Amino acid sequence: MIKNLFFAHVALAYISLGLLLLRGVLSAKMVDWRAYRLLKIAPHAVDTLLLVTGIVIFVMVGYGIHPWILTKLLFLVLYVVFATRAFKKGQRFSLKHFLLAVVSFMLTMLVATIH
């Protein structure tokens, strides 16, 4: 059970990253990705499932609060802040915030991989 949940969590992380990159590329090309219902809903659904699977794994395995967990959470918060600023509705796309969001996401994945 835990193994399948772990693989689902990893798959969701890559799907989330792919959706982030797709929205960034479309925004940079000035394509209104919000016009596509799937691109408006899917990132929220995937990120919610990603967070839920992470919490369930954390509780089932009983990691406790370790420095790598806090570091991962810090990068996760930074990702959310930067992505929100990059894709803020009614404002120009911010390439700087998008790149910071991608870096934050990748650092989250790196910390999870090397712990």
Side-chain angles (χ1 to χ4, degrees), residues 7-89:
F7 286 126
H9 184 71
V10 171
L12 287 165
Y14 282 105
I15 293 168
S16 181
L17 178 61
L19 288 168
L20 173 67
L21 294 173
L22 177 61
R23 289 180 295 153
V25 167
L26 291 174
S27 293
K29 291 186 172 195
M30 297 182 167
V31 174
D32 182 17
W33 55 266
R34 288 178 185 86
Y36 302 95
R37 188 176 177 133
L38 182 64
L39 289 179
K40 281 177 58 175
I41 297 170
H44 299 294
V46 170
D47 288 346
T48 299
L49 289 172
L50 181 59
L51 187 58
V52 168
T53 57
I55 291 169
V56 171
I57 291 168
F58 179 80
V59 170
M60 287 178 74
V61 173
Y63 281 126
I65 301 299
H66 294 282
W68 73 269
I69 293 283
L70 295 175
T71 303
K72 187 174 173 181
L73 288 173
L74 170 68
F75 287 134
L76 178 64
V77 169
L78 289 173
Y79 158 66
V80 170
V81 168
F82 292 138
T84 300
R85 289 184 179 173
F87 299 120
K88 192 160 189 159
K89 192 174 182 177

Side-chain angles (χ1 to χ4, degrees), residues 67-73 75 105-115:
W68 73 269
I69 293 283
L70 295 175
T71 303
K72 187 174 173 181
L73 288 173
F75 287 134
F105 194 101
M106 297 297 288
L107 287 170
T108 303
M109 293 177 82
L110 178 66
V111 168
T113 303
I114 64 173
H115 81 270

Side-chain angles (χ1 to χ4, degrees), residues 84-96:
T84 300
R85 289 184 179 173
F87 299 120
K88 192 160 189 159
K89 192 174 182 177
Q91 292 187 2
R92 284 180 41 124
F93 171 65
S94 172
L95 182 60
K96 174 182 80 172

